[in-house]
Amino acid sequence: MTPSSILWRGLAACISLVLCASVSAQTTPKPAKKLKTLSYTCRVVYEPANAMWVRELEIDYDTKAFQVLRIDGVRAHGFSVDGASIITHLDNERIMLDLSVPSWKSQFREAAQGQGVCIKNR
């Protein structure tokens, strides 16, 4: 074996080790982040029927952002957050939540409007 072939084999072995280490690091699953949950009970009056409904709101979050929103145990497919305001929809009801107050406003199929207060559960 010539000195240059030994050098090339050593270099190939080093590259192989680096590539294997990077592939291993990419495929190793990251530990799941522990989510915390905010829970609210909202008393919403729907007009024009003047009917009160109790709605349950749960928000799972981590240190960076809200991750999951559930209303009455049903996961919302999507939501938008702007500060303490959350906008979402569920079963043709457009829902606007303000966690700074906390309050609930909604419109249901342009036929009914809901408004109420939310109480944080412990």
Side-chain angles (χ1 to χ4, degrees):
M1 250 196 272
T2 65
S4 63
S5 66
I6 293 173
L7 180 63
W8 283 111
R9 284 187 183 192
L11 183 60
C14 287
I15 291 173
S16 176
L17 285 173
V18 168
L19 289 176
C20 289
S22 68
V23 168
S24 173
Q26 291 173 359
T27 58
T28 304
K30 295 180 180 177
K33 292 182 180 178
K34 179 73 174 155
L35 295 178
K36 296 180 181 179
T37 302
L38 288 173
S39 177
Y40 292 89
T41 299
C42 302
R43 290 174 173 77
V44 183
V45 176
Y46 287 94
E47 297 292 340
N50 201 27
M52 188 184 78
W53 285 42
V54 176
R55 309 297 302 266
E56 298 297 327
L57 171 66
E58 294 176 312
I59 306 164
D60 295 340
Y61 66 97
D62 61 16
T63 57
K64 295 183 181 179
F66 293 144
Q67 299 296 325
V68 178
L69 176 72
R70 286 182 303 281
I71 297 172
D72 299 332
V74 178
R75 185 175 178 164
H77 292 289
F79 57 93
S80 172
V81 178
D82 183 19
S85 298
I86 301 173
I87 298 173
T88 189
H89 59 87
L90 188 66
D91 296 334
N92 294 316
E93 182 177 11
R94 289 187 299 248
I95 303 165
M96 294 143 291
L97 305 162
D98 185 354
L99 299 182
S100 66
V101 173
S103 64
W104 172 298
K105 290 183 182 179
S106 63
Q107 285 190 331
F108 183 72
R109 295 184 183 168
E110 306 296 328
Q113 296 81 37
Q115 186 169 334
V117 297
C118 298
I119 300 166
K120 187 174 180 181
N121 301 327
R122 295 188 188 250

